[in-house]
Coordinates of all heavy atoms in Angstrom, one line a residue:
Chain B
E210 N -10.8 -17.9 3.3 CA -9.9 -18.9 3.6 C -8.8 -18.3 4.4 O -8.3 -19.0 5.4 CB -9.3 -19.5 2.3 CG -10.2 -20.6 1.7 CD -9.6 -21.0 0.4 OE1 -8.3 -21.1 0.2 OE2 -10.4 -21.4 -0.6
E211 N -8.3 -17.3 4.1 CA -7.2 -16.6 4.8 C -7.6 -16.3 6.3 O -6.9 -16.5 7.3 CB -6.7 -15.3 4.0 CG -5.5 -14.8 4.6 CD -4.2 -15.6 4.1 OE1 -4.4 -16.7 3.4 OE2 -3.1 -15.2 4.6
L212 N -8.8 -15.8 6.4 CA -9.4 -15.4 7.6 C -9.6 -16.6 8.6 O -9.3 -16.6 9.8 CB -10.7 -14.6 7.6 CG -11.4 -14.3 8.9 CD1 -10.5 -13.3 9.8 CD2 -12.7 -13.6 8.5
D213 N -10.0 -17.7 7.9 CA -10.2 -19.0 8.7 C -8.9 -19.4 9.5 O -9.0 -19.9 10.6 CB -10.6 -20.1 7.7 CG -12.0 -20.0 7.3 OD1 -12.8 -19.3 7.9 OD2 -12.4 -20.6 6.2
K214 N -7.7 -19.0 8.9 CA -6.5 -19.4 9.5 C -6.3 -18.6 10.9 O -5.7 -19.2 11.8 CB -5.2 -19.1 8.7 CG -5.3 -19.9 7.4 CD -4.1 -19.3 6.6 CE -4.2 -20.0 5.1 NZ -3.3 -19.3 4.2
T215 N -7.0 -17.5 11.0 CA -6.7 -16.8 12.3 C -8.1 -16.5 13.0 O -8.1 -15.8 14.0 CB -6.1 -15.4 12.0 OG1 -6.8 -14.7 11.0 CG2 -4.6 -15.5 11.6
R216 N -9.1 -17.0 12.4 CA -10.5 -16.8 13.1 C -10.6 -17.1 14.5 O -11.3 -16.6 15.3 CB -11.5 -17.6 12.2 CG -12.9 -16.9 12.3 CD -13.9 -17.8 11.6 NE -13.8 -17.7 10.1 CZ -14.5 -16.9 9.3 NH1 -15.3 -16.1 9.8 NH2 -14.4 -16.9 8.0
A217 N -9.9 -18.2 14.9 CA -10.0 -18.7 16.3 C -9.6 -17.6 17.3 O -10.0 -17.6 18.5 CB -9.0 -19.8 16.5
A218 N -8.8 -16.5 16.9 CA -8.4 -15.5 17.8 C -9.6 -14.5 18.0 O -9.5 -13.6 18.9 CB -7.3 -14.7 17.2
L219 N -10.6 -14.6 17.2 CA -11.8 -13.6 17.3 C -12.9 -14.2 18.2 O -13.1 -15.5 18.1 CB -12.3 -13.3 15.9 CG -11.3 -12.7 15.0 CD1 -12.0 -12.7 13.6 CD2 -10.9 -11.3 15.4
S220 N -13.7 -13.4 18.7 CA -14.9 -13.9 19.4 C -16.0 -14.2 18.3 O -15.7 -13.8 17.1 CB -15.5 -12.8 20.3 OG -16.0 -11.7 19.6
A221 N -17.0 -14.9 18.6 CA -18.0 -15.2 17.7 C -18.6 -13.9 17.0 O -18.9 -13.8 15.8 CB -19.1 -16.1 18.2
A222 N -18.9 -13.0 17.9 CA -19.5 -11.8 17.4 C -18.6 -11.0 16.5 O -19.0 -10.5 15.4 CB -19.9 -10.9 18.6
E223 N -17.3 -11.0 16.8 CA -16.3 -10.3 16.0 C -16.2 -11.0 14.6 O -16.2 -10.3 13.6 CB -14.9 -10.3 16.7 CG -14.9 -9.3 17.8 CD -13.7 -9.5 18.8 OE1 -13.1 -10.6 18.7 OE2 -13.4 -8.5 19.6
S224 N -16.2 -12.3 14.7 CA -16.1 -13.1 13.5 C -17.2 -12.8 12.5 O -17.1 -12.7 11.4 CB -16.0 -14.6 13.9 OG -15.9 -15.3 12.7
Q225 N -18.4 -12.8 13.2 CA -19.6 -12.6 12.3 C -19.6 -11.1 11.7 O -20.1 -11.0 10.6 CB -20.8 -12.7 13.2 CG -21.3 -14.2 13.4 CD -22.3 -14.3 14.5 OE1 -23.0 -13.4 14.9 NE2 -22.6 -15.6 15.0
A226 N -19.2 -10.2 12.6 CA -19.2 -8.8 12.0 C -18.3 -8.7 10.8 O -18.6 -8.1 9.8 CB -18.7 -7.9 13.1
I227 N -17.1 -9.3 10.9 CA -16.2 -9.3 9.8 C -16.7 -10.1 8.6 O -16.7 -9.6 7.4 CB -14.7 -9.9 10.2 CG1 -14.1 -8.9 11.2 CG2 -13.8 -10.0 9.0 CD1 -12.8 -9.4 11.7
E228 N -17.3 -11.2 8.9 CA -17.9 -12.1 7.8 C -19.0 -11.2 7.1 O -19.1 -11.3 5.8 CB -18.5 -13.3 8.5 CG -18.9 -14.4 7.5 CD -17.8 -14.8 6.6 OE1 -16.7 -15.1 7.0 OE2 -18.0 -14.9 5.3
R229 N -19.8 -10.5 7.8 CA -20.9 -9.8 7.2 C -20.4 -8.8 6.2 O -20.8 -8.6 5.0 CB -21.7 -8.9 8.3 CG -23.1 -9.5 8.5 CD -23.9 -8.5 9.3 NE -23.3 -8.0 10.5 CZ -23.2 -8.5 11.7 NH1 -23.8 -9.7 11.8 NH2 -22.6 -8.0 12.6
Q230 N -19.3 -8.1 6.5 CA -18.7 -7.1 5.7 C -18.0 -7.7 4.5 O -18.0 -7.2 3.4 CB -17.7 -6.2 6.5 CG -18.4 -5.4 7.6 CD -19.6 -4.5 7.2 OE1 -19.6 -4.0 6.1 NE2 -20.6 -4.2 8.0
I231 N -17.4 -8.9 4.7 CA -16.7 -9.5 3.6 C -17.8 -9.9 2.5 O -17.5 -9.8 1.4 CB -15.9 -10.8 4.1 CG1 -14.7 -10.4 4.9 CG2 -15.5 -11.7 3.0 CD1 -13.9 -11.6 5.4
G232 N -19.0 -10.3 3.1 CA -20.0 -10.6 2.2 C -20.4 -9.5 1.2 O -20.9 -9.8 0.1
R233 N -20.2 -8.3 1.8 CA -20.6 -7.1 1.0 C -19.6 -6.7 0.0 O -19.8 -5.8 -0.8 CB -20.9 -5.9 1.9 CG -22.2 -6.1 2.7 CD -22.5 -4.8 3.5 NE -22.4 -3.6 2.6 CZ -22.0 -2.4 3.1 NH1 -21.6 -2.3 4.3 NH2 -21.9 -1.5 2.2
I234 N -18.4 -7.2 0.0 CA -17.4 -6.8 -0.9 C -17.9 -7.1 -2.4 O -17.7 -6.4 -3.3 CB -16.0 -7.6 -0.6 CG1 -15.5 -7.1 0.6 CG2 -15.1 -7.3 -1.9 CD1 -14.2 -7.9 0.9
I235 N -18.7 -8.1 -2.5 CA -19.3 -8.5 -3.8 C -20.1 -7.4 -4.4 O -20.3 -7.3 -5.6 CB -20.0 -9.9 -3.7 CG1 -19.7 -10.7 -5.0 CG2 -21.4 -9.8 -3.4 CD1 -18.4 -11.4 -5.0
D236 N -20.7 -6.5 -3.5 CA -21.5 -5.3 -3.9 C -20.8 -4.5 -4.9 O -21.4 -3.8 -5.7 CB -21.9 -4.5 -2.7 CG -23.0 -5.2 -1.8 OD1 -23.4 -6.2 -2.2 OD2 -23.4 -4.6 -0.9
V237 N -19.5 -4.4 -4.8 CA -18.7 -3.5 -5.6 C -19.0 -3.9 -7.1 O -19.1 -3.0 -7.9 CB -17.2 -3.6 -5.3 CG1 -16.4 -2.6 -6.1 CG2 -16.9 -3.5 -3.9
G238 N -19.1 -5.2 -7.3 CA -19.3 -5.6 -8.7 C -20.7 -5.1 -9.2 O -20.9 -4.9 -10.4
A239 N -21.7 -4.9 -8.4 CA -22.9 -4.4 -8.7 C -23.0 -2.8 -8.6 O -24.1 -2.2 -8.6 CB -24.0 -5.0 -7.9
R240 N -21.9 -2.2 -8.5 CA -21.7 -0.8 -8.4 C -22.5 -0.1 -7.1 O -23.0 0.9 -7.2 CB -22.2 0.0 -9.7 CG -21.6 -0.5 -10.9 CD -20.1 -0.4 -10.9 NE -19.6 0.9 -11.1 CZ -18.3 1.2 -11.0 NH1 -17.4 0.3 -10.5 NH2 -17.9 2.4 -11.2
R241 N -22.6 -0.9 -6.1 CA -23.1 -0.5 -4.8 C -21.9 -0.1 -3.9 O -20.8 -0.5 -4.1 CB -24.0 -1.5 -4.1 CG -25.3 -1.6 -4.8 CD -26.3 -2.4 -3.9 NE -25.9 -3.8 -3.8 CZ -26.3 -4.8 -4.6 NH1 -27.1 -4.5 -5.6 NH2 -25.9 -5.9 -4.3
T242 N -22.2 0.7 -2.9 CA -21.1 1.3 -2.1 C -20.4 0.1 -1.3 O -21.2 -0.7 -0.7 CB -21.7 2.3 -1.1 OG1 -22.3 3.3 -1.8 CG2 -20.6 2.9 -0.3

Side-chain angles (χ1 to χ4, degrees):
Chain B
E210 277 174 33
E211 193 71 5
L212 177 61
D213 284 343
K214 295 176 191 167
T215 51
R216 205 185 285 269
L219 301 170
S220 70
E223 287 166 342
S224 176
Q225 279 169 15
I227 294 178
E228 189 57 49
R229 248 195 315 276
Q230 299 301 331
I231 289 178
R233 283 189 53 215
I234 293 178
I235 218 80
D236 286 358
V237 188
R240 309 303 282 171
R241 284 193 293 270
T242 306

